[in-house]
Amino acid sequence: MNTVPVTLQNSYKKAGENNPLYTQRFGADPGVMEYDGRLYVYMTDDILEYDTKGKVKENSYSQIRTINCISSDDMVNWTDHGRIRVAGPGGVAKWANNSWAPCAAHKTIDGQEKFFLYFCNGGNGIGVLSADSPVGPWRDERGSLLITRGVKNCADVTWLFDPAVMVDEDGTGYLAFGGGVPEGKWAAPGTARIVRLGEDMISLAGDPVRLDVPWLFEDSGINKIGDKYFYTYCSNFQTKGNNLKLTDGAIQYMISDNPLGPYTYMGELFPNEGHFFGMYGNNHHSIASLNGEWFLFYHNRPVEKAMGVTGNYRSPQADKIFFGEDGLPKQVKGTMKGLDQLKPLNPFRIVSAATMSRQAGITVEGANGQSWINGETGSWLQVSGVDFGTGTSSLEVTAMAPTDCTLYAVLDDPEGPVISQVRIELPGDVKPAAFRAPIQAEGVHDLYLITDGVMKLYSWQVK
């Protein structure tokens, strides 16, 4: 067959690179949760701000009231679950002003698996939402902040934000938080806290404990790796000449035999992202494991750079953590290549159209596990490592469009020969409908789906 008869839009992500994780929106401060063989990444939804002349200005974070959620079981193809509306009149927690730096956990309570999403209401408190699924719908069961300055040992925390949550093997939940540097206390800010959560995960089971964290800035992390508890954090920007040899704005780690501490400083896990990519800024991370492998999630600014704007608008990235024979992590190197694909994607099941490794011109709508993509002329998505097995006969898509258009399928190179073309015709404009076309493919390939017109694509599969 011939090649696609439209000019392809340009992607903000380079071919052969798995970082950033996605490019259809920004996403900062990744908080990661493993559940049922998938990693779910929850992120601050950085939103472009403009001055009176229409020029992009520095991110003030004041307009952020939603949280982004993506997930993957192969670490390369990420399903975009859409925006979670958290704060403000249109949000679940209408009393909240902002939704920054989320983290999430799940726990079995009274025989039912429940999910909890913690977020910062600006720099002065931490809220929590709950759900029966990792993608919602979310509820505000508590109806107020979980952590406030009225909580014991929290009144003097400079920045009451950046939660990190962990559920221990015995089912006990812990929440670490805090940050900021009181005047002149760069070496020992004293603003990190950790607290035991109640059985319901939306209350406290004790008073927050102060952690002695050297050169703290922000960004708490809490994990159990082996038989040790790891507290991780971002160092501040006045570390020059310190005796621990840590550097500015870098992810540090400490270990303990008890989740409440005390913790002992061990070393630097990840230098500031500017060390690798040339764009320095705040460093915010999360550590998570899947199938026995450990990964560091962080943010960087490659999409901002590709767009030609400047303003600290951030995107999520991930690289693998390797451990030495002593059981301690080696320093992580930030790369644009990112993670290797853990397993091929199965196209014989229904695949959400919002699952992709790379895209151009695509936007995603929806929430609560129901999401779809909007495409326009020349827009496309890439799904990496698709295993077509011994062969296929048909490609079926669920879609709708205001006027007739075509979805083209191409393997391995978006400018390669078309192997299938699905005609999307009215009355698909009324509601999503199924459309199909022949396709012949076998073995493992990257799949490109390309549109020559405006359409909404919900899902696809081969048979």
Side-chain angles (χ1 to χ4, degrees), residues 191 211 258 282 343:
T191 54
L211 297 179
N258 188 313
N282 76 320
K343 64 179 183 179

Side-chain angles (χ1 to χ4, degrees), residues 29-30 161-164 177-179 216-221 231-235 250-252 283-286:
D29 311 322
F161 68 1
D162 285 3
F177 58 93
L216 171 72
F217 188 55
E218 59 184 5
D219 179 30
S220 290
Y231 175 79
T232 46
Y233 66 99
C234 180
S235 54
I251 304 304
Q252 316 294 336
N283 203 347
H284 197 111
H285 80 293
S286 186

Side-chain angles (χ1 to χ4, degrees), residues 434-454:
F435 302 90
R436 62 180 58 83
I439 185 174
Q440 291 184 351
E442 61 180 43
V444 179
H445 298 274
D446 291 351
L447 172 67
Y448 292 84
L449 298 177
I450 306 165
T451 178
D452 67 357
V454 176

Side-chain angles (χ1 to χ4, degrees), residues 27-31 42-47 49 59-68 84-88 93 95-104 117-129 145 149 158-164 175-180 217-220 282 284-285 299 312-314:
D29 311 322
Y42 303 87
M43 297 158 287
T44 305
D45 184 16
D46 281 2
I47 298 172
E49 298 181 31
N59 191 352
S60 72
Y61 316 110
S62 62
Q63 298 180 22
I64 299 171
R65 296 178 177 85
T66 51
I67 287 172
N68 293 324
I84 303 169
R85 299 190 181 280
V86 177
W95 46 265
N97 296 315
N98 295 113
S99 55
W100 299 350
C103 66
L117 181 62
Y118 302 84
F119 66 95
C120 315
N121 184 33
N124 291 291
I126 296 168
V128 56
L129 305 179
L145 286 170
R149 297 195 182 280
T158 307
W159 295 332
L160 204 56
F161 68 1
D162 285 3
L175 191 74
F177 58 93
F217 188 55
E218 59 184 5
D219 179 30
S220 290
N282 76 320
H284 197 111
H285 80 293
H299 60 222
N312 202 35
Y313 297 96
R314 304 152 298 173

Side-chain angles (χ1 to χ4, degrees), residues 122-408:
N124 291 291
I126 296 168
V128 56
L129 305 179
S130 57
D132 298 322
S133 141
V135 295
W138 297 94
R139 304 181 297 269
D140 178 23
E141 294 182 354
R142 182 180 173 86
S144 62
L145 286 170
L146 172 64
I147 303 291
T148 69
R149 297 195 182 280
V151 172
K152 190 174 181 180
N153 297 330
C154 291
D156 59 345
V157 175
T158 307
W159 295 332
L160 204 56
F161 68 1
D162 285 3
V165 65
M166 179 195 72
V167 178
D168 209 348
E169 295 164 353
D170 64 359
T172 304
Y174 296 89
L175 191 74
F177 58 93
V181 184
E183 184 68 30
K185 295 185 177 181
W186 297 103
T191 54
R193 301 288 186 271
I194 189 167
V195 65
R196 182 182 289 109
L197 292 169
E199 177 65 23
D200 60 4
M201 296 289 287
I202 62 172
S203 62
L204 304 182
D207 297 328
V209 176
R210 169 178 165 156
L211 297 179
D212 293 321
V213 180
W215 303 95
L216 171 72
F217 188 55
E218 59 184 5
D219 179 30
S220 290
I222 181 72
N223 295 87
K224 189 174 187 180
I225 303 176
D227 61 353
K228 297 290 185 181
Y229 297 93
F230 281 66
Y231 175 79
T232 46
Y233 66 99
C234 180
S235 54
N236 62 53
F237 292 83
Q238 299 291 330
T239 67
K240 185 177 181 179
N242 73 86
N243 59 354
L244 298 176
K245 299 181 179 180
L246 53 79
T247 61
D248 287 1
I251 304 304
Q252 316 294 336
Y253 77 98
M254 307 174 74
I255 63 172
S256 176
D257 294 322
N258 188 313
L260 296 175
Y263 284 83
T264 301
Y265 178 82
M266 299 301 294
E268 188 159 291
L269 180 64
F270 183 64
N272 190 274
E273 66 270 20
H275 178 79
F276 303 106
F277 311 113
M279 295 173 288
Y280 289 84
N282 76 320
N283 203 347
H284 197 111
H285 80 293
S286 186
I287 295 172
S289 65
L290 184 66
N291 301 332
E293 298 188 53
W294 288 88
F295 309 100
L296 177 74
F297 291 79
Y298 57 95
H299 60 222
N300 184 28
R301 292 154 57 197
V303 175
E304 178 189 74
K305 182 178 180 180
M307 292 176 67
V309 302
T310 302
N312 202 35
Y313 297 96
R314 304 152 298 173
S315 298
Q317 301 196 172
D319 281 288
K320 190 173 179 179
I321 301 175
F322 296 92
F323 291 82
E325 294 181 358
D326 58 2
L328 297 177
K330 298 180 180 180
Q331 192 168 105
V332 176
K333 179 181 179 181
T335 71
M336 294 309 297
K337 181 181 181 300
L339 301 175
D340 294 328
Q341 190 166 346
L342 298 185
K343 64 179 183 179
L345 184 138
N346 176 13
F348 295 94
R349 58 175 176 81
I350 296 175
V351 181
S352 167
T355 299
M356 64 197 89
S357 62
R358 198 161 66 106
Q359 63 83 25
I362 297 293
T363 60
V364 177
E365 293 184 40
N368 302 327
Q370 303 296 321
S371 56
W372 62 90
I373 67 170
N374 295 321
E376 56 186 23
T377 302
S379 63
W380 53 268
L381 64 86
Q382 174 186 350
V383 187
S384 293
V386 179
D387 188 355
F388 294 100
T390 57
T392 62
S393 59
S394 66
L395 171 63
E396 182 174 298
V397 304
T398 300
M400 60 185 291
T403 58
D404 293 356
C405 59
T406 301
L407 184 70
Y408 299 89

